[in-house]
Amino acid sequence: EDQVTQSPEALRLQEGESSSLNCSYTVSGLRGLFWYRQDPGKGPEFLFTLYSAGEEKEKERLKATLTKKESFLHITAPKPEDSATYLCAVQPASLSGSARQLTFGSGTQLTVLP
Amino acid sequence: SAVISQKPSRDICQRGTSLTIQCQVDSQVTMMFWYRQQPGQSLTLIATANQGSEATYESGFVIDKFPISRPNLTFSTLTVSNMSPEDSSIYLCSVLTGRYGYTFGSGTRLTVV
């Protein structure tokens, strides 16, 4: 069974204080690992897809990295508008009809204080 | 990426009644997904809806409780039937949009009283 564990559950940072969020996963072959941002009362917003160990992607103050067992979302010099819940999800490399579904972690609630 | 219009955005319903949630996509998609997000928790897949065939439900979810329609490649509905307070959640639809991964609707916040 695919499993995704995110840590910490909640993180409070001062503006400008860089940190990392962790996503550990167990999957029978990885097709893709996804990072999403979710603001209160809204649906998840796509950030990144990572496909293979060693891959990195960046967008503004965010950088996502991937190893064979975990992914990190690094936040450099965060601003209050980065406050949100960050979700990690994996898609298995199964060839069955269920191959396209995602398994989500429980998320990290990030608060950036001014 | 695709744009999804989901409605209603929120509703408060009496127990024992049913609510139908609609999702309209601005492009044709093969598969649509319905998720539930209970308070303080992450997303759980309810079912996958393909046009022209019965929806595929995940363990713990049944068609009688969550009937799904998929009449064409741009539209789907999820009905939450015979509601109880335990059904209070955010319900989200989603589609696979290639390089942009999965796009989600804005969600329907359901409260059952």
Side-chain angles (χ1 to χ4, degrees), chain A residues 2-4 23-34 49-55 65-71 88-94 99 101-103:
Chain A
D2 303 333
Q3 289 191 336
V4 179
C23 172
S24 298
Y25 65 90
T26 303
V27 65
S28 54
L30 180 69
R31 182 182 180 94
L33 184 140
F34 298 80
T49 308
L50 302 168
Y51 295 102
S52 58
E55 187 175 2
T65 62
L66 180 66
T67 72
K68 290 186 177 180
K69 294 184 177 180
E70 57 191 350
S71 177
C88 170
V90 297
Q91 183 184 37
S94 167
Q101 65 180 260
L102 300 180
T103 299

Side-chain angles (χ1 to χ4, degrees), chain B residues 7-45:
Chain B
K7 57 182 180 181
S9 59
R10 58 178 63 224
D11 207 340
I12 300 173
C13 300
Q14 296 291 324
R15 67 176 65 201
T17 63
S18 298
L19 175 71
T20 296
I21 302 167
Q22 300 180 3
C23 269
Q24 178 75 52
V25 188
D26 69 346
S27 58
Q28 294 185 339
V29 293
T30 304
M31 303 172 81
M32 292 182 73
F33 306 89
W34 287 96
Y35 286 86
R36 181 175 72 182
Q37 187 174 28
Q38 294 179 301
Q41 299 188 27
S42 192
L43 283 75
T44 301
L45 182 66

Side-chain angles (χ1 to χ4, degrees), chain B residues 2 6 11 14 16 18 21-22 24 29 31 36 40 42 60 62 65 74 79-81 87 95 101 106 108-109:
Chain B
Q6 183 174 343
D11 207 340
Q14 296 291 324
S18 298
I21 302 167
Q22 300 180 3
Q24 178 75 52
V29 293
M31 303 172 81
R36 181 175 72 182
S42 192
V62 295
K65 176 67 175 177
T74 64
T79 299
V80 186
S81 304
D87 295 319
V95 300
S106 54
T108 296
R109 182 180 294 273

Side-chain angles (χ1 to χ4, degrees), chain A residues 16-61:
Chain A
E17 180 186 1
S18 301
S19 187
S20 295
L21 313 182
N22 178 263
C23 172
S24 298
Y25 65 90
T26 303
V27 65
S28 54
L30 180 69
R31 182 182 180 94
L33 184 140
F34 298 80
W35 280 99
Y36 289 88
R37 167 188 173 133
Q38 186 174 25
D39 293 299
K42 296 187 177 181
E45 174 188 347
F46 172 78
L47 293 175
F48 304 109
T49 308
L50 302 168
Y51 295 102
S52 58
E55 187 175 2
E56 299 183 351
K57 289 191 176 176
E58 290 188 63
K59 179 181 178 180
E60 297 180 354
R61 295 177 293 280

